[in-house]
Amino acid sequence: MLRTLLPLLVLGMWIYAFIDVLNTPEKEVRNLPKVAWVIIVLLFMPLGPIAWFIAGRPRRTAASGGLAAAFGGAGRGGRGGGWVAPDDNPDFLKSLGDERRKKKDEGEPDEAKGDEK
């Protein structure tokens, strides 16, 4: 099992690194030109992809990618400009209060309290 798994992991890492080099914009590549990284990843099978991940790949920040950016930005509560849960979003909570006051002024029942006419 290990004889099969290890070569598959190396092959997967090589393919991922190759595609990552190709998809990375030229201006974001570190230390060497993009063409040099493509050659290194292609020719030096186990070490080329590792070198790319360590020395050539652009650093990912919370603002540019990764899990932090995908789930709400850099800080707690999504202050990084990303998605924010409704119960943490002050604008949403304010709109709920505004709706409740508007319904109260119009004389409609409040669903939260279970009032009925």
Side-chain angles (χ1 to χ4, degrees):
M1 176 78 178
L2 190 58
R3 280 186 183 177
T4 312
L5 186 60
L6 192 58
L8 286 176
L9 287 174
V10 171
L11 180 66
M13 180 180 63
W14 179 74
I15 292 171
Y16 181 80
F18 181 66
I19 292 172
D20 194 36
V21 171
L22 293 178
N23 287 332
T24 302
E26 177 76 40
K27 64 182 179 180
E28 293 181 16
V29 176
R30 296 186 298 147
N31 299 327
L32 293 173
K34 184 175 179 176
V35 175
W37 280 114
V38 169
I39 293 169
I40 289 171
V41 168
L42 283 176
L43 295 181
F44 302 105
M45 177 65 144
L47 298 178
I50 294 171
W52 164 251
F53 292 130
I54 293 172
R57 188 175 197 202
R59 290 196 169 97
R60 305 284 187 209
T61 62
S64 69
L67 287 177
F71 292 106
R76 180 164 162 70
R79 289 174 182 80
W83 181 81
V84 179
D87 58 341
D88 289 339
N89 187 338
D91 296 331
F92 177 74
L93 295 174
K94 183 179 179 296
S95 73
L96 287 179
D98 292 344
E99 274 184 42
R100 182 170 280 179
R101 279 190 292 279
K102 182 180 173 185
K103 283 184 179 181
K104 187 177 179 183
D105 292 342
E106 293 175 358
E108 292 183 27
D110 191 1
E111 292 98 15
K113 293 182 181 176
D115 293 343
E116 293 181 19
K117 280 192 173 179

